[in-house]
């Protein structure tokens, strides 16, 4: 549950909104204030602004089947544009504090598995197809029905698992947890820092920033997470100015003691003209004639499953963090949330930046008090400004933003107490859901494991009627999803 900032004066009356803006966004009705929404929007932006840098590095580093690359500057501009527009749309249409941007994981799939077998336009066309299919599923009510068919305690487990997933993302992005190279005699896959030690200035900045943020949270300081991000960024700028730590790679060679991504220094140029040449560069039909029907079909299916269930898990986690779920574990305007998310997937493909999806980093904003779409207006406008102020958006390093992810991971973890761990029929699926998200670095993998296990356990106990009919279909789809490589090899 989110930390409620200490109130001052008479609390607002939910039955009497202050004005039309308040009434439309339900600010007072949800127990929020405009200042909390602004803080929440800022916190969300700072925890996910890295995508403007990281998405171009992922997509721009790959080559398509024709040997062509996408321009990094154009990817950065389009990434910020689509994220800004779709985040604002989510705020206005769904009025729910979830920001959207190019999805990590999906962009790597597009860059390194799909594009090398066709052109960039063909690959982005498949993303558009996937987004349209999901939109149809939302409009027909099927996507919402599938969401409601998942047991409430399993939804809780999804939120808890995402909390742990956020935690490991933060620890890894900050370089505090790192993969241990595959060498003879090594059995531990990850470890602390470099050779089990905190040996770099960036890691020390992260630790100090995290401890500072924890102190603020424990003392229930209003704006704790946002203050933590900004204070850690200032510390990082000072450290870089004195120690000259540098980027993660120097002259093409790894710099393990460098900053994880952004080097925290004041830019020489603040304003830049965005390159929007990638907008509309997609083709929905050519891939099917170029590589046959199976490869595009399996890629669309993989994208569909990933987007479908990642968003489901994200909106549950955000709603759970902000205490905005009803008795069935459903957030307000669930259909609108899912519809905007599906439109964002297609918009990302149409803009050549890969599928856009709901970001779990929005939980940082919710932890700051965001409860409505007003926070999205703030985050969205900042993304639009990032098109022109891209150099300035690079000042906040991973080591500063990651402090928020770790703290939010703790806040989301607290919901684990509501799961009945004495009932193995739900406890085991819940455990696998929670465990597989961080350990496989995938929300969809965790949901799939939980759903399949839940169905299998109920069948084994002779309680088939307790499983919603739609959940059998979902379990079957996940079986295909996990076995897609063997299926492809059999067909070919």
């Amino acid at each position: 549950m989110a930390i409620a900032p200490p109130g001052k004066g008479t609390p607002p009356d939910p039955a009497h909104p202050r004005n039309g803006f308040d009434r439309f966004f339900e600010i007072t009705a949800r127990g929020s204030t405009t200042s909390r929404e602004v803080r929440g929007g800022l916190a969300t932006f700072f925890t996910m602004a890295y995508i403007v840098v990281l998405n171009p590095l992922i997509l721009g580093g790959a080559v398509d089947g024709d040997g062509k690359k996408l321009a990094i500057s154009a990817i950065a501009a389009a990434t910020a544009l689509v994220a800004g527009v779709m985040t604002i749309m989510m705020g206005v249409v769904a009025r729910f504090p979830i920001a959207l941007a190019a999805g990590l994981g999906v962009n790597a799939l597009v860059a390194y598995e799909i594009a090398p077998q066709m052109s960039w336009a063909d690959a982005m066309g498949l993303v558009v197809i996937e987004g349209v299919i999901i939109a149809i599923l939302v409009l027909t009510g099927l996507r919402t029905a599938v969401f409601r068919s998942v047991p409430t305690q399993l939804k809780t487990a999804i939120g808890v698992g995402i909390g742990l997933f956020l935690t490991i993302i933060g620890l890894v992005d900050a370089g505090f947890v790192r993969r241990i190279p595959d060498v003879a005699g090594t059995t531990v896959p990850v470890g602390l820092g470099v050779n089990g030690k905190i040996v770099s200035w960036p890691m020390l900045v992260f630790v100090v920033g995290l401890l500072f943020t924890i102190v603020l949270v424990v003392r229930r300081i209003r704006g704790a997470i946002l203050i933590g991000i900004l204070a850690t960024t200032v510390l990082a700028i000072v450290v870089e100015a004195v120690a000259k730590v540098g980027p993660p790679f120097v002259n093409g060679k790894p710099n393990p003691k460098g900053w994880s991504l952004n080097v925290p220094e004041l830019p020489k140029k603040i304003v830049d003209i965005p390159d929007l040449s990638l907008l509309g560069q997609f083709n929905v039909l050519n891939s099917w004639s170029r590589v046959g029907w199976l490869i595009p079909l399996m890629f669309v299916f993989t994208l569909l499953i990933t987007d479908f269930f990642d968003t489901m898990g994200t909106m549950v986690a955000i709603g759970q963090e902000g205490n905005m779920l009803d008795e069935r574990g459903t957030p307000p305007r669930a259909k609108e949330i899912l519809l905007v998310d599906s439109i964002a997937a297609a918009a990302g493909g149409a803009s050549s930046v890969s599928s856009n999806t709901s970001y779990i980093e929005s939980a940082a904003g919710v932890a700051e008090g965001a409860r409505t779409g007003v926070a999205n207006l703030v985050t969205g406008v900042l993304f639009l400004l990032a098109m022109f102020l891209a150099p300035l958006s690079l000042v906040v390093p991973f080591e500063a933003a990651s402090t928020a992810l770790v703290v939010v991971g703790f806040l989301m973890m607290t919901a684990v107490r509501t799961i009945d761990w004495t009932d193995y029929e739900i406890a085991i699926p819940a455990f696998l859901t929670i465990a597989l998200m961080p350990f496989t670095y995938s929300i969809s993998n965790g949901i799939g494991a939980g759903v399949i296990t839940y169905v299998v356990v109920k069948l084994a106990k002779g309680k088939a009627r307790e499983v919603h009919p739609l959940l059998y279909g979902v379990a079957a789809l996940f079986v295909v999803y996990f076995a897609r490589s063997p299926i492809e090899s059999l067909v070919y």
Side-chain angles (χ1 to χ4, degrees):
M1 182 175 293
I3 293 175
K8 292 184 178 180
T10 305
D13 182 2
H16 298 88
R18 296 189 176 96
N19 49 49
F21 185 81
D22 186 348
R23 184 180 303 106
F24 179 80
F25 285 103
E26 302 174 340
I27 300 172
T28 301
R30 296 189 187 179
S32 186
T33 64
T34 302
S35 61
R36 291 184 195 176
E37 297 298 316
V38 172
R39 286 203 312 270
L42 288 169
T44 294
F45 175 76
F46 284 127
T47 55
M48 59 184 289
Y50 66 84
I51 193 61
V52 179
V53 180
L54 192 54
N55 197 46
L57 293 180
I58 293 173
L59 293 178
V63 178
D64 69 4
D66 296 328
K68 297 180 179 178
K69 285 189 173 184
L70 297 176
I72 289 181
S73 60
I75 301 172
T79 297
L81 174 64
V82 179
V85 171
M86 298 314 305
T87 295
I88 291 172
M89 181 181 288
M90 179 68 80
V92 174
V93 175
R95 304 172 213 170
F96 196 73
I98 292 184
L100 303 97
L104 288 175
V106 173
N107 56 3
L109 173 67
V110 172
Y112 299 108
E113 292 189 41
I114 301 179
Q117 301 191 48
M118 54 192 74
S119 69
W120 281 112
D122 296 339
M124 295 303 172
L126 295 182
V127 176
V128 173
I129 292 173
E130 173 256 333
V132 171
I133 292 174
I134 292 185
I136 293 173
L137 294 177
V138 174
L139 293 173
T140 57
L142 181 61
R143 194 178 187 187
T144 306
V146 168
F147 171 75
R148 289 175 176 165
S149 71
V150 178
T152 301
Q153 291 195 59
L154 203 53
K155 289 178 183 175
T156 300
I158 290 171
V160 174
I162 289 176
L164 289 178
F165 184 39
L166 269 181
T167 301
I168 194 170
I169 288 175
L171 295 173
V172 170
D173 285 352
F176 190 78
V177 171
R178 305 192 185 200
R179 181 177 180 272
I180 296 176
D182 293 326
V183 295
T186 300
T187 57
V188 181
V190 294
L192 171 66
V194 179
N195 298 321
K197 300 177 182 178
I198 299 176
V199 297
S200 68
W201 282 108
M203 289 176 63
L204 183 60
V205 167
F206 167 73
V207 171
V208 172
L210 178 60
L211 291 175
F212 176 67
T213 306
I214 289 172
V215 169
L216 295 178
V217 169
V218 171
R219 292 179 62 85
R220 298 183 181 268
I221 301 298
R222 184 172 295 178
I225 292 176
L226 181 57
I227 293 172
I229 295 172
L230 296 177
T232 309
T233 299
V234 172
L235 175 61
I237 292 173
V238 173
V239 167
E240 174 60 24
V242 174
K244 303 296 181 182
V245 176
F249 290 90
V250 178
N251 297 324
K253 296 181 179 180
N255 176 21
K257 296 184 180 181
W259 301 98
S260 295
L261 181 61
N262 297 343
V263 177
E265 55 187 4
L266 295 178
K268 297 178 181 178
K269 183 171 70 170
I270 295 178
V271 180
D272 202 2
I273 302 299
D275 178 0
L276 300 177
S277 60
L278 290 178
L279 300 186
Q281 301 298 314
F282 68 97
N283 190 316
V284 298
L285 299 176
N286 191 59
S287 60
W288 302 85
S289 59
R290 179 168 178 169
V291 297
W293 63 272
L294 181 62
I295 290 177
L297 182 64
M298 292 305 294
F299 279 143
V300 169
F301 175 75
T302 302
L303 291 169
L304 185 69
I305 291 293
T306 302
D307 271 352
F308 192 108
F309 290 99
D310 274 13
T311 301
M312 187 180 82
T314 299
M315 72 180 196
V316 167
I318 298 298
Q320 186 173 291
E321 167 67 13
N323 197 25
M324 293 181 284
L325 302 180
D326 61 20
E327 64 280 357
R328 295 187 296 177
T330 303
R333 294 189 179 86
K335 184 174 182 179
E336 287 83 355
I337 295 172
L338 296 172
L339 179 60
V340 174
D341 183 85
S342 62
I343 294 173
S351 305
S352 296
V353 295
S354 181
S355 175
N356 272 230
T357 188
S358 299
Y359 259 58
I360 190 56
E361 282 88 344
S362 306
V366 174
E368 275 296 335
R371 296 293 182 273
T372 76
V374 176
N376 282 44
L377 302 185
V378 176
T379 304
V381 168
L382 289 173
F383 267 120
L384 295 180
L385 289 176
M387 286 194 303
F388 302 92
L389 305 175
L392 194 59
S393 68
L394 307 183
V395 174
V396 180
F398 266 163
E399 288 77 4
S402 294
T403 59
L405 300 184
V406 175
V407 172
V408 171
F410 155 72
L411 296 175
M412 296 174 69
M413 181 70 188
T414 59
V416 74
R417 68 187 183 278
T418 63
I419 298 173
D420 184 1
W421 294 103
T422 63
D423 181 3
Y424 284 10
E425 293 178 25
I426 190 65
I428 293 176
F431 166 73
L432 290 175
T433 299
I434 293 170
L436 263 66
M437 284 188 192
F439 291 156
T440 66
Y441 237 65
S442 168
I443 294 174
S444 293
N445 288 348
I447 295 176
V451 169
I452 292 174
T453 306
Y454 178 79
V455 171
V456 169
V457 167
K458 287 295 184 182
L459 289 175
K461 292 281 290 185
K463 298 180 179 180
R465 292 184 178 181
E466 294 185 8
V467 180
H468 193 287
L470 280 175
L471 215 55
Y472 286 111
V474 173
L477 287 174
F478 268 118
V479 169
V480 175
Y481 171 73
F482 287 126
R484 60 191 184 277
S485 291
I487 291 174
E488 289 176 5
S489 65
L490 284 175
V491 175
Y492 279 100

